Amino acid sequence: MQRRDFLRYSALGGVALSASGVLAYAMAGRHAGHAPVSLLDATTLPEGEPLQPLPRIANLSDQSDLFRSALTPAPHAVALGADRHARLWLYNRKVAPLIEVTEGDDFDVTLVNELPEETTVHWHGVAVAHEHDGAPRHAVAPGESRRYRHTFADGSAGLHWFHPHPHGVLARQIAHGLAGVLLVRPREEVVPFEVEEHLLVINDLRLSGAGEVTPHTDEDWMNGREGELLLVNGQRRPRLDVAPGTTLRLRLVNACAGRYLRLRLEDHGLTLIGTDGGLLEQPRPLEELLLTPGERADLLVRISEQGAERFTLASHPYERGWMGARPAHLDAVAPLLTIHTRETEVAPAVALPARLGRIEPLGDPAVRRTLALTEVMAGMEHGPTQADASGAMDHGGHGGDAGGTMDHGGHGGDAGGAMDHGGHGGDAGGAMDHGGHGGAAMAADNGRPPVDFLINGRSFTMGEVMFEGRVGEVEEWEVFNDSHMDHPFHVHGTHFQVVASREIDGEWRGAPWLAWKDTVNLRPGQRMRLRLVFHEPGDWLFHCHIIEHEEMGMMAAIRML
């Protein structure tokens, strides 16, 4: 496609353009060069066993306010019933291990890499110093080690998690089950002690009949991998026995690479009390909860007062814009956990405090930026999107790009907005050379489909900086999903507040309540305004948290000075 044609079609609608190229590819019937693999029949595995707590990473310190330990990611065989094993990659030989600390604690963890390839540990949701964030540029080679240190400040309590973050091999490591949970307790707990708490880590695997993790398919790369074996705390459809009337606190992590969890508890409503960054100010009743890859949720539910009953927590079908061959599980209800009520006395209802937490709204922004998430076919020039068909964006603000790209314009987003993708290898319209990292440029070498997943028309390149900003300044980012499929957007190094959103043909609507988030979902054509402040200098990543989209280019960095 010639650039003039690309610009013309972009002006007519970037969503249609980016979707059409990818869909045409998906419908063309190309398949990766892997021989067909006989998959593990998940129905033959044990189910309905009692829910197990997460295994803990041992604290090797004898100080009450210091957590010191080591993480050793390595291959390990995990039993799947009496005569089957899954060959996974795990931290300390544990499935979804737990690190638990308290506000005020110091943290000192050494990664010892026992994998056959480089890796890192990213502390997802924790505002660590840049050199301890586990970014790809700090990858640890096989046999080498790296030390991560942090002090958990007051106000940092919440459910976080950790996972690898090297570039180019991340999807394989996530597919092998490499992830853990980091729970930061508050100095004083506001949720009453009568509430029964359970941590639930949900992930999925695709295994061969021999228990090996199978290679990625084209559909995995285009959509984000969804394994057929859906697990909670490493178990298939576990059972939780409670007294009738019990108030449960279910703290959930979606550790899947690409699977969305549309959660409902049979015959029960849900109450949201916390998100990625900790407690809300007030409980929020929900009929269901959409939990996207990387997100966490803190839920309360009072179980039925009827004894000898069972209720299923399940993920229901959610249409997120699937490309290519459609697996059967996408249209099926996926049971996660069964709650059984005992034939015992009814537990009394639990009263919550009037205020759970306090969330101060961030003030007026000193800087506004516009980001567009797109997907295009290889061979197309990466010109402006629907957000800015004229090809320009006013840069105002701090000035200078220090080797990256500045974007300090206004709210933007209309056809008259402007964009300049300068920086490393790109003209004003954003066409660029992809270099050696991610995107369709790698397709010929690694067998991935020739699709680019982009931010502002650019594919991630190690060391490249898209924006530059200042520590301590309030920023407002208008993030636009200019594609045909959902994308969960994640920011490293801080949390943000969603202040407004707009559907594809709708009006801007203010957020109904404030929450601290680090991952948020954008539907096709949706825009969101996020306010955030970075408190540490460094190059901070932001990306789609569908792991395969991140690997294929939908990631960039902002340099904070």
Side-chain angles (χ1 to χ4, degrees), residues 301-312:
V301 58
R302 185 167 188 246
I303 300 302
S304 167
E305 295 184 356
Q306 296 298 315
E309 296 284 349
R310 64 179 60 194
F311 307 96
T312 300

Side-chain angles (χ1 to χ4, degrees), residues 303-349:
I303 300 302
S304 167
E305 295 184 356
Q306 296 298 315
E309 296 284 349
R310 64 179 60 194
F311 307 96
T312 300
L313 176 67
S315 180
H316 290 252
Y318 177 78
E319 184 53 60
R320 61 184 183 91
W322 191 269
M323 295 183 285
R326 188 177 181 88
H329 75 257
L330 287 183
D331 302 310
V333 175
L336 296 170
L337 172 73
T338 303
I339 298 175
H340 292 233
T341 55
R342 305 186 190 100
E343 295 187 75
T344 58
E345 292 186 5
V346 175

Side-chain angles (χ1 to χ4, degrees), residues 221-244:
W221 288 115
M222 291 187 295
N223 299 289
R225 183 177 172 108
E226 293 196 16
E228 288 73 15
L229 180 57
L230 187 59
L231 302 174
V232 176
N233 294 3
Q235 299 174 268
R236 183 169 178 265
R237 303 180 185 178
R239 185 187 80 248
L240 179 60
D241 295 330
V242 300

Side-chain angles (χ1 to χ4, degrees), residues 20-284:
S20 66
V22 177
L23 286 174
Y25 167 83
M27 296 174 66
R30 177 190 181 275
H31 296 282
H34 305 300
V37 175
S38 176
L39 296 182
L40 179 72
D41 182 0
T43 64
T44 65
L45 302 182
E47 66 173 284
E49 297 181 342
L51 176 71
Q52 297 299 308
L54 299 179
R56 291 178 178 267
I57 299 293
N59 186 359
L60 304 180
S61 169
D62 56 5
Q63 296 179 225
S64 61
D65 59 352
L66 170 64
F67 183 93
R68 177 183 288 131
S69 195
L71 288 178
T72 56
H76 182 58
V78 177
L80 296 174
D83 58 352
R84 296 175 186 265
H85 288 81
R87 293 168 177 82
L88 305 179
W89 293 355
L90 303 175
Y91 293 112
N92 298 19
R93 303 166 64 91
K94 302 177 187 295
V95 176
L98 170 65
I99 293 175
E100 184 173 336
V101 296
T102 301
E103 290 176 334
D105 286 356
D106 289 325
F107 181 77
D108 186 345
V109 172
T110 299
L111 170 70
V112 180
N113 185 8
E114 297 183 0
L115 296 175
E117 59 192 36
E118 68 180 18
T119 192
T120 74
V121 181
H122 168 53
W123 308 99
H124 185 128
V126 184
V128 298
H130 176 256
E131 62 268 26
H132 299 290
D133 185 55
R137 66 187 300 177
H138 297 143
V140 179
E144 300 296 324
S145 63
R146 185 178 182 90
R147 191 176 183 186
Y148 299 92
R149 303 184 72 179
H150 181 64
T151 299
F152 292 95
D154 289 345
S156 64
L159 180 61
H160 314 300
W161 64 303
F162 55 93
H163 60 80
H165 215 305
H167 193 59
V169 294
L170 174 59
R172 177 165 55 242
Q173 295 185 16
I174 296 295
H176 277 78
L178 201 53
V181 173
L182 175 58
L183 177 61
V184 183
R185 297 281 186 190
R187 290 183 187 270
E188 295 185 10
E189 181 62 78
V190 300
V191 177
F193 71 90
E194 297 93 344
V195 173
E196 184 177 316
E197 179 183 281
H198 295 277
L199 301 179
L200 305 179
V201 177
I202 304 168
N203 68 347
D204 52 4
L205 298 171
R206 182 182 301 133
L207 302 175
S208 71
E212 301 282 354
V213 173
T214 64
H216 274 62
T217 65
D218 280 3
E219 285 79 13
D220 290 338
W221 288 115
M222 291 187 295
N223 299 289
R225 183 177 172 108
E226 293 196 16
E228 288 73 15
L229 180 57
L230 187 59
L231 302 174
V232 176
N233 294 3
Q235 299 174 268
R236 183 169 178 265
R237 303 180 185 178
R239 185 187 80 248
L240 179 60
D241 295 330
V242 300
T246 296
T247 300
L248 291 177
R249 183 181 189 181
L250 303 178
R251 309 186 73 173
L252 302 104
V253 179
N254 184 344
C256 302
R259 185 189 291 259
Y260 279 47
L261 302 170
R262 185 182 173 195
L263 299 172
R264 298 177 187 169
L265 178 59
E266 185 179 17
D267 296 334
H268 290 75
L270 304 171
T271 300
L272 182 69
I273 64 168
T275 57
D276 303 333
L279 293 173
L280 302 177
E281 291 193 321
Q282 295 178 330
R284 300 291 173 176

Side-chain angles (χ1 to χ4, degrees), residues 361-382:
L362 295 175
D364 292 336
V367 177
R368 292 185 171 90
R369 310 186 192 278
T370 301
L371 290 77
L373 312 179
T374 58
E375 66 229 19
V376 299
M377 290 295 295
M380 285 185 181
E381 293 188 52
H382 304 140

